[in-house]
Amino acid sequence: MTRICFVCLGNICRSPTAEGIFRHLVAQHGRTGQFAIDSAGTAAWHVGKPPDTRSTAAAAQRGIRLTGAARAFTAADFERFDLVIAMDDNNHAVLSRMATTDAARRRLHRMRDFDPDSPPGASVPDPYYGGEHGFEDVLDICQRACEGLLEVLLEGPG
Ligand code: 4NP
């Protein structure tokens, strides 16, 4: 069982999108039982809320269901998950400060490091204050990164 937590700022747009896409992809590969998939935010503003309706609508167009209620990431999550995947630089910096052990630091990754079309260190752009196409971009990026991530996990290192 591999436990994965996707992390953004509010846990209502990007990380629930990544969670929904990864869950869908894993199901398509018949691997549902092998993964525990969750998401969280580095900010607590939207705790308890469902994913943003713009994210949910854009994902539904692609047959992907977004579920869950927003929650804030805590330091203890570094012990509950094997992989903690940050959507952008800011999230990565906040999570780096919360990762106080070598084991925790090894678990922390950047989402776009799994996206083959991405330059090194790139972010998943925050769609919250933008137009509809931001949500489509997030879906495209998360789809590519989730495929890259699953490939790494199914094939193993090397
Ligand atoms: P997310 O997007 O981090 O992808 O969930 C945001 C959600 C809310 C806010 C910013 C980004 N906000 O400022 O409330």
Side-chain angles (χ1 to χ4, degrees):
M1 170 75 75
T2 303
R3 303 161 300 168
I4 303 170
C5 188
F6 296 100
V7 184
C8 62
L9 181 61
N11 192 208
I12 54 171
C13 300
R14 291 165 293 175
S15 60
T17 299
E19 177 188 345
I21 288 176
F22 195 71
R23 186 169 283 130
H24 187 77
L25 198 58
V26 159
Q28 285 176 323
H29 282 77
R31 304 281 187 149
T32 296
Q34 276 173 250
F35 295 95
I37 307 161
D38 194 12
S39 65
T42 55
W45 308 317
H46 298 281
V47 166
K49 287 197 202 156
D52 190 290
T53 51
R54 297 166 296 174
S55 296
T56 307
Q61 293 278 332
R62 301 186 186 200
I64 293 158
R65 218 161 72 83
L66 306 190
T67 57
R71 72 176 185 90
F73 189 88
T74 69
D77 285 316
F78 275 116
E79 280 143 53
R80 297 176 48 226
F81 294 95
D82 304 300
L83 294 168
V84 174
I85 302 183
M87 295 294 134
D88 68 25
D89 270 350
N90 177 58
N91 316 142
H92 191 273
V94 171
L95 293 168
S96 286
R97 288 195 290 276
M98 292 171 86
T100 53
T101 65
D102 284 345
R105 282 187 281 272
R106 276 195 300 273
R107 291 172 166 189
L108 178 58
H109 300 269
R110 291 170 192 274
M111 183 68 165
R112 291 200 70 173
D113 286 353
F114 300 102
D115 170 8
D117 287 4
S118 160
S123 289
V124 182
D126 181 350
Y128 191 71
Y129 291 109
E132 291 306 315
H133 103 109
F135 291 87
E136 295 299 328
D137 288 348
V138 168
L139 279 161
D140 290 339
I141 294 167
C142 286
Q143 181 70 36
R144 289 197 304 269
C146 283
E147 286 172 9
L149 172 63
L150 186 60
E151 207 173 292
V152 169
L153 294 175
L154 294 183
E155 287 172 9

